Amino acid sequence: MIAVVFGSSGGIGRALAEGVIATGKYTAVYAVSRSGAEIKGALNRRAEFTDEAQLASLAAEIGAAGPVTLCLVASGLLSADGVQPEKTYRALSADAFARVFAANTTAPALIAKHFLPLMPKAERSVFAALSARVGSISDNRLGGWHAYRASKAALNMLIRNFAIEQARRAPGSICVGLHPGTVDTGLSKAFQGGVPGEKLFTPAQAAEYLLGVVDRLTPENSGTCFDWAGKEVPA
């Protein structure tokens, strides 16, 4: 059994990779990041997640080693130089939309394109990408954060699509989104002000909760999004 964790240089991604290694369930754990960050016990690889040639090469290498039974996508973008969550539609920017969608929607989609085919047809397998509660359309009461919300809503739709397609070719396959809650990482640092201390998780806590959710998933759960506590996030 092989596990692959994308985004392993980030706080949650590193913790997920370390958590997967600690389970001892997998014959190999690949940790993939844009920087090629070193994680002890992992096969560390470097890739740009929107570069199909790099993803195809990586998939060919990993696929030759055996079937992938766990693929976690923990990369994403909330804010960066020139990109901030918008408080109003007056702040919308085509460049910001392109960057946020590339990181939060296109990258997981391309990873799925190249790694879902490596998953076994009958054996249980899980493809999970970090989503967010703010990507829920029905749960949106505050508005704002237009590009980020839209990119995660689009990701949730893709996950649903992947689940439907995988069910036809691989009945044991599970495709889900995972909402980790608010985690004390660089991504959320500027937005932690109103978060109660008990709801601000360390990366290790978040990884433990999410991997617990993954362990309990069944094919009937495929196509949905779950939070860190295992509760379904509304579409």
Side-chain angles (χ1 to χ4, degrees):
M1 298 199 306
I2 294 175
V4 188
V5 181
F6 287 88
S8 57
S9 63
I12 301 177
R14 175 178 287 273
L16 283 170
E18 291 172 345
V20 170
I21 293 166
T23 68
K25 295 178 181 178
Y26 299 90
T27 55
V29 177
Y30 288 81
V32 188
S33 66
R34 295 180 179 89
S35 64
E38 292 288 325
I39 295 181
K40 185 177 180 180
L43 296 169
N44 300 287
R45 298 292 185 268
R46 183 195 305 267
E48 169 54 53
F49 303 160
T50 55
D51 186 319
E52 284 214 64
Q54 292 184 32
L55 290 176
S57 177
L58 182 64
E61 175 195 349
I62 295 175
V68 172
T69 54
L70 177 64
C71 182
L72 301 175
V73 183
S75 58
L77 174 64
L78 173 58
S79 64
D81 290 340
V83 177
Q84 293 296 325
E86 310 92 343
K87 295 180 180 179
T88 170
Y89 55 76
R90 297 177 182 85
L92 294 178
S93 156
D95 178 66
F97 254 77
R99 292 173 64 185
V100 171
F101 265 77
N104 296 341
T105 312
T106 306
L110 293 178
I111 290 169
K113 173 183 176 180
H114 290 279
F115 282 82
L116 287 178
L118 304 184
M119 294 184 156
K121 290 188 176 182
E123 184 182 354
R124 180 183 183 274
S125 65
V126 177
F127 175 91
L130 291 192
S131 187
R133 188 175 296 279
V134 296
S136 167
I137 294 173
S138 62
D139 193 51
N140 183 0
R141 301 289 185 271
L142 298 175
W145 288 34
H146 300 291
Y148 187 73
R149 283 185 186 274
S151 69
K152 292 298 188 179
L155 172 61
N156 292 344
M157 177 61 80
L158 287 171
I159 287 168
R160 178 63 177 165
N161 281 351
F162 298 154
I164 292 170
E165 189 168 351
Q166 280 292 91
R168 299 186 186 121
R169 65 163 292 273
S173 176
I174 303 166
C175 299
V176 296
L178 294 174
H179 168 56
T182 304
V183 185
D184 190 11
T185 65
L187 183 143
S188 68
K189 187 67 71 176
F191 312 101
Q192 296 176 5
V195 180
E198 70 275 8
K199 289 295 181 70
L200 180 61
F201 304 139
T202 66
Q205 280 179 299
E208 180 183 357
Y209 296 150
L210 294 178
L211 291 176
V213 173
V214 166
D215 282 346
R216 297 190 295 272
L217 293 172
T218 68
E220 288 71 29
N221 301 132
S222 195
T224 53
C225 182
F226 293 91
D227 71 8
W228 58 273
K231 297 180 180 178
E232 186 173 338
V233 176

